[in-house]
Amino acid sequence: MTKPKFAPQISVPATYMRGGTSKGTFFKLSDLPERCQVAGSPRDNFLLRVIGSPDPYGKQIDGLGNGSSSTSKTVILSEAKQAEHDVNYLFGQVNIAKPMIDWAGNCGNLTAAVGACAINMGLVDADKIASSIDKDADSGVCEVRIWQENISKTIIAHVPVYKKDADSKVQVQETGDFELDGVTFPAAEVKIEFIDPVDSSSDMFPTNNLVDDFDVSGCGLDKDSVKATFISAGIPTIFMKAEDLGFSGTELQGDINSNDELLAKLEKIRATGGVAMGLFKDESEAQASQHIPKIAWVAPAQSYTSSSGKEVNANDINLVVRAMSMGQLHHAMMGTAAVAIAAASTTQGTLVNEAAGGGELSEVRFGHPSGTLLVGGKTEQVDGRWQAKKVSMSRSARRIMVGEVFVPADAF
C-alpha cells in the first residue's frame, strides 16, 4: 500500500499585534527559518502562507490575514544595524489576491506597535528600559529609536512602561484610556515622531511644485486636467480636491468599495500619478506596486456621520480627508498617509493646507471615515527645497497573541 505524500507543518514563534488601526504578524528575524532570514522568494512565500495569500476568495481564511489591507501585513524585527538606534524594523504589505509582497514603504499604523514589540522580544537594551522609570516612580516612558529599513528613516516611539513594585521587571503598558477613532477599545497612548521623513537630498514635492496641473485625460473624469499636490513624506501621496473627483470628502467605505467602475477609475488615476511623480516609467509599473503611491482627496471641514455612527462636527476639525489603500477606501487613515497629511497641511500653498483654511499651521485635526485624528508637523525650505523636519501623531498598540504560527513545510 502506497503511503500518502504530505508535507509536515513547521512552527515559528510569532506575535500578533494591533498597531493604530492596523493589525499584523510580527517576527523576530532570528526566529525565522534560516532561508527566510534574507530577502528572496523563500521569505516571501513563507509570509504569504502565514497571512493566507494569494486568496481568490479575498478572505484569507487559511491564514492570519482578515481580507483587508489593514490586516494583511507582516513585520520583521531585528537588532539595530544603525548606530544610536534600538531596533531594525522591516515591513511587508501582503497582497490579498496576488502572490506579491510590497516592500517599498512603511506602515505608519504598525509603527506604533514596533517599540512595544521590540521591548517584549528582548531587542531593546534592558538597562535603557529600566532607566526609563525614575527611582521613586512606578511608571514612565521608554524612548525607542527605530530604524525603518524599508525607507531608511528614523522613527521614535514613546512607549509607556510600568513596574508593579521596586523589585519587579519593567513592562510595557498596553491598556489605558486613550481613544483612537477606528479602534473600538481604549488603550495606552503611544506618541510617534517621524524624524526627517524626506531625504535631505530631494524635494518633499517631487515635481518642485506645491500644486500641479495634473493631466488625467483618459482616466474617466469629466475634465482632462485637475489640480493636485504630489508629496513624498511618510509615503508618496497624490492629493486632489474631492469635488474634482465628484466626491464630497465625507465618503465611507460602502460608498466607494462596492463600485468596481469607480475603483478602476481611481486606480487609473493613481497609476497615472505615480508616473507624474517620477516613481515609475509607465503605468504598468505603477499597477504592479499597489502600495505606492497613495491617492487621497481633501475638502474643507464639514459635518458627517462616521462609520461607527459617531457624529463628526465641522467645528471640531480643520478639513476632511479620504485615502485609498491597496485598491480600497481605507476604513480610517493609514499612518504613513497621516504623515503626508501633516507635512502637506503645514506647508502653505498646498491643496491640503488650503482645504484646512490656509495660512501658517503647526497641527491639524482632520476627519476620516472612522472619526478624527490630530497630527502635527514642521516643514521648511532648505536650499530651495521643501523639507519636513518632524511629523508627530499619537496612536496605540496592543498584543493580541503571542505563540507559534504553523506553515506547511513545502510552502516556501
Side-chain angles (χ1 to χ4, degrees):
M1 183 176 179
T2 304
K3 292 184 178 180
K5 294 182 179 180
F6 65 91
Q9 292 215 91
I10 66 163
S11 62
V12 177
T15 300
Y16 194 57
M17 288 195 74
R18 177 186 63 78
T21 56
S22 293
K23 288 190 294 186
T25 307
F26 287 64
F27 296 95
K28 189 175 181 179
L29 178 64
S30 58
D31 287 335
L32 292 175
E34 187 174 354
R35 62 185 181 276
C36 298
Q37 294 181 18
V38 295
S41 57
R43 184 184 71 181
D44 283 14
N45 290 336
F46 170 80
L47 295 173
L48 283 163
R49 197 66 168 92
V50 166
I51 299 301
S53 290
D55 185 355
Y57 303 105
K59 303 298 183 183
Q60 296 174 317
I61 293 297
D62 203 24
L64 289 174
N66 291 317
S68 162
S69 65
S70 299
T71 59
S72 190
K73 300 171 181 281
T74 60
V75 170
I76 300 174
L77 302 183
S78 57
E79 294 182 1
K81 299 176 182 177
Q82 302 291 322
E84 299 182 353
H85 288 75
D86 299 300
V87 63
N88 194 76
Y89 159 40
L90 181 66
F91 167 70
Q93 178 71 53
V94 180
N95 193 291
I96 296 171
K98 300 176 183 178
M100 182 174 71
I101 299 180
D102 200 323
W103 300 98
N106 177 34
C107 175
N109 274 304
L110 287 188
T111 297
V114 169
C117 192
I119 291 173
N120 290 325
M121 284 183 172
L123 291 169
V124 180
D125 182 75
D127 290 338
K128 176 175 184 173
I129 299 169
S131 63
S132 61
I133 298 180
D134 293 337
K135 183 178 179 181
D136 298 325
D138 57 9
S139 64
V141 175
C142 183
E143 183 181 285
V144 180
R145 295 183 64 85
I146 301 163
W147 179 253
Q148 214 302 320
E149 186 175 351
N150 303 75
I151 58 175
S152 299
K153 291 295 177 183
T154 298
I155 303 171
I156 300 176
H158 298 269
V159 182
V161 293
Y162 74 99
K163 56 183 180 180
K164 294 180 180 179
D165 53 59
D167 299 320
S168 64
K169 180 181 177 181
V170 175
Q171 301 179 61
V172 174
Q173 178 190 339
E174 296 175 284
T175 58
D177 57 8
F178 175 74
E179 295 186 355
L180 178 65
D181 286 335
V183 178
T184 304
F185 304 107
E189 180 180 11
V190 180
K191 294 182 179 179
I192 303 293
E193 295 177 285
F194 297 82
I195 309 300
D196 294 324
V198 180
D199 289 331
S200 59
S201 60
S202 61
D203 198 306
M204 183 165 68
F205 303 99
T207 62
N208 298 315
N209 299 316
L210 298 180
V211 178
D212 280 276
D213 290 315
F214 178 25
D215 184 355
V216 290
S217 54
C219 291
L221 298 182
D222 60 1
K223 56 190 76 175
D224 292 333
S225 178
V226 298
K227 299 295 183 182
T229 289
F230 300 109
I231 189 170
S232 290
I235 199 164
T237 305
I238 307 159
F239 287 108
M240 303 170 66
K241 292 182 179 179
E243 61 183 305
D244 285 339
L245 293 170
F247 298 149
S248 66
T250 61
E251 290 75 23
L252 302 182
Q253 284 189 304
D255 300 319
I256 304 294
N257 295 346
S258 58
N259 189 327
D260 290 340
E261 182 180 348
L262 180 56
L263 292 176
K265 182 189 299 185
L266 290 170
E267 174 57 22
K268 173 71 173 175
I269 295 170
R270 189 194 70 85
T272 302
V275 176
M277 293 180 75
L279 296 172
F280 307 105
K281 294 179 181 178
D282 53 48
E283 290 180 26
S284 62
E285 282 190 8
Q287 290 166 352
S289 178
Q290 285 195 318
H291 191 51
I292 60 171
K294 302 299 186 188
I295 180 172
W297 53 95
V298 300
Q302 52 197 293
S303 300
Y304 65 96
T305 303
S306 72
S307 56
S308 67
K310 175 184 176 181
E311 295 297 323
V312 177
N313 193 301
N315 295 326
D316 297 330
I317 56 177
N318 301 95
L319 74 162
V320 290
V321 189
R322 299 296 186 263
M324 299 294 289
S325 175
M326 303 297 287
Q328 299 280 297
L329 179 67
H330 197 274
H331 71 101
M333 184 56 63
M334 304 84 77
T336 47
V339 172
I341 292 167
S345 64
T346 55
T347 304
Q348 290 189 63
T350 68
L351 293 183
V352 187
N353 176 262
E354 291 175 0
E360 291 187 16
L361 301 170
S362 60
E363 63 180 24
V364 296
R365 182 176 294 279
F366 64 88
H368 56 72
S370 294
T372 71
L373 180 64
L374 179 68
V375 294
K378 180 183 179 182
T379 63
E380 59 185 40
Q381 275 191 306
V382 179
D383 297 328
R385 294 191 300 266
W386 281 100
Q387 298 287 307
K389 304 310 294 181
K390 184 173 74 172
V391 169
S392 60
M393 69 183 75
S394 287
R395 316 300 274 171
S396 64
R398 187 178 74 85
R399 282 176 299 179
I400 296 172
M401 184 281 298
V402 177
E404 296 176 320
V405 61
F406 287 80
V407 175
D410 61 355
F412 61 98

